Amino acid sequence: MTRVLNLLEADPRPRHPEKAHRPDNPIARKPAWIRAKAPGSPGYAATHALVRQHKLTTVCEEARCPNIGECWEKKHATFMIMGEICTRACAFCNVATGLPGALDADEPARVADATAKLGLSHVVVTSVDRDDLGDGGAAHFAAVIRAIRTAAPATTIEVLTPDFLRKDGALEIVIDARPDVFNHNLETVPGNYLTVRPGARYFHSLRLLQRAKELDPAVFTKSGIMVGLGETRNEVLQVMDDLRSAQVDFLTIGQYLQPSPKHHAVEDFVTPAEFEAYAAIGAAKGFALVSASPLTRSSHHAGEDFARLKAARLAAAKA
């Protein structure tokens, strides 16, 4: 039996205790088209040092993102706030699960300072799920947004939030802080939710995205899904239609990669040609931007994509 340990910290306790009883799913060999640049450049080292200096958590590390070498070399990092322990137990995710600690009141200032020192033109802020908090952490998100506005007023801000399930008023708190991009990932097709994302509800997440646009029509809305989890092509196309009905501007589609034998198995590796087809279909359905490739992740190339989103909106306004 495989025991999934927390190797990101000195403490060797299981990183995913809720998965310990599950049978192992062998990790399939990756095809030739899935290749990521290994970390180790001077730029990567500089970003790593700054993250450690400010005692920050990044989803790049916690989720074992395959693009960490490329992004950190460019001094791009996605900050993960409210700790590194999540109250959910999604079958695809490598973030540790358990009972989180108290919020760190100094964290917004540290994130803002790191954003300024990295010289980021665009920053992405995400978090673990905090079902233990009355507002799901919405006020903490707002505090981070406002701190970044003060420390780096020229930086545009993208938030990738939890679903705030059963947290009335939480979304309003985040939107009131005026992020430039509001991102919430559906993650997979609705038929997979019970096995892949059991703590969430598909139509609640969809409504969250729709409500964000209703609260602030100027905010760019964004969502992403993984493929390779057993979904069908028609199910992916239905998710696209659902997101367009919610007026979502930007869709990301990437290949699911299995973090450990205790996580959900990769059912299939989607080819680059299939990803290109998804991107073309998404554009035809009316998304302002679709990013679809094996290594596409929600925050990958976020700054460049934001510039493209603004250009697409401006072109549409002139049409």
Side-chain angles (χ1 to χ4, degrees), residues 168-188:
D168 291 343
L171 175 64
E172 286 78 0
I173 292 170
V174 176
I175 296 299
D176 186 59
R178 304 298 300 272
D180 298 284
V181 181
F182 178 83
N183 186 357
H184 173 66
N185 287 334
L186 294 182
E187 305 292 7
T188 187

Side-chain angles (χ1 to χ4, degrees), residues 133-148:
L133 299 174
D135 67 351
H140 200 74
F141 261 106
V144 171
I145 293 169
R146 293 184 176 112
I148 293 171

Side-chain angles (χ1 to χ4, degrees), residues 87-149:
T87 55
R88 302 278 176 95
C90 296
F92 64 88
C93 185
N94 192 54
V95 174
T97 54
L99 182 63
L103 293 179
D104 181 352
D106 294 330
E107 185 174 54
R110 295 202 310 276
V111 171
D113 189 47
T115 299
K117 287 182 177 176
L118 282 167
L120 300 181
S121 60
H122 185 81
V123 64
V124 182
V125 179
T126 188
S127 79
V128 291
D129 275 286
R130 291 298 303 258
D131 296 314
D132 58 311
L133 299 174
D135 67 351
H140 200 74
F141 261 106
V144 171
I145 293 169
R146 293 184 176 112
I148 293 171
R149 294 281 187 225

Side-chain angles (χ1 to χ4, degrees), residues 7-309:
L7 300 180
L8 295 179
E9 300 174 356
D11 189 344
R13 290 175 298 179
R15 187 171 176 81
H16 303 285
E18 80 290 344
K19 296 179 175 65
H21 68 284
R22 298 180 183 175
D24 289 357
N25 290 315
I27 298 179
R29 181 179 177 84
K30 297 180 182 67
W33 61 77
I34 297 182
R35 293 289 182 269
K37 184 176 181 178
S41 68
Y44 170 89
T47 302
H48 183 275
L50 191 65
V51 167
R52 291 292 173 271
Q53 176 191 344
H54 287 75
K55 299 179 181 179
L56 298 174
T57 303
T58 67
V59 76
C60 320
E61 295 173 289
E62 296 296 325
R64 294 184 183 175
C65 179
N67 303 312
I68 189 171
E70 175 192 349
C71 292
W72 283 29
E73 180 178 354
K74 298 176 181 178
K75 295 187 176 181
H76 294 170
T78 297
F79 299 118
M80 191 169 80
I81 60 175
M82 297 191 280
E84 67 275 2
I85 299 177
C86 186
T87 55
R88 302 278 176 95
C90 296
F92 64 88
C93 185
N94 192 54
V95 174
T97 54
L99 182 63
L103 293 179
D104 181 352
D106 294 330
E107 185 174 54
R110 295 202 310 276
V111 171
D113 189 47
T115 299
K117 287 182 177 176
L118 282 167
L120 300 181
S121 60
H122 185 81
V123 64
V124 182
V125 179
T126 188
S127 79
V128 291
D129 275 286
R130 291 298 303 258
D131 296 314
D132 58 311
L133 299 174
D135 67 351
H140 200 74
F141 261 106
V144 171
I145 293 169
R146 293 184 176 112
I148 293 171
R149 294 281 187 225
T150 299
T155 301
T156 51
I157 302 170
E158 178 173 332
V159 293
L160 170 54
T161 77
D163 59 13
F164 300 125
L165 188 63
R166 291 183 287 275
K167 309 293 183 184
D168 291 343
L171 175 64
E172 286 78 0
I173 292 170
V174 176
I175 296 299
D176 186 59
R178 304 298 300 272
D180 298 284
V181 181
F182 178 83
N183 186 357
H184 173 66
N185 287 334
L186 294 182
E187 305 292 7
T188 187
V189 300
N192 284 347
Y193 263 53
L194 285 178
T195 54
V196 174
R197 200 179 175 221
R201 301 293 180 267
Y202 177 80
F203 288 105
H204 171 83
S205 287
L206 196 64
R207 175 57 181 153
L208 187 83
L209 289 157
Q210 183 182 40
R211 179 67 178 148
K213 182 70 79 172
E214 290 171 354
L215 290 168
D216 182 3
V219 73
F220 288 101
T221 51
K222 177 178 175 181
S223 190
I225 63 169
M226 300 168 289
V227 290
L229 286 162
E231 72 290 326
T232 67
R233 181 176 182 274
N234 283 343
E235 286 178 312
V236 173
L237 301 189
Q238 183 61 60
V239 169
M240 290 186 186
D241 288 338
D242 291 344
L243 288 170
R244 286 303 302 134
S245 293
Q247 299 185 54
V248 170
D249 300 297
F250 183 12
L251 171 64
T252 62
I253 307 176
Q255 171 70 52
Y256 167 63
L257 298 176
Q258 185 181 346
S260 83
K262 293 299 183 185
H263 287 77
H264 196 292
V266 175
E267 300 294 340
D268 61 291
F269 287 102
V270 177
T271 67
E274 291 174 282
F275 277 108
E276 289 177 7
Y278 279 142
I281 293 169
K285 286 181 179 291
F287 288 101
L289 191 62
V290 180
S291 179
S293 75
L295 290 178
T296 289
R297 295 298 182 267
S298 190
S299 305
H300 194 209
H301 298 153
E304 296 94 326
D305 288 338
F306 179 70
R308 292 165 63 195
L309 273 174

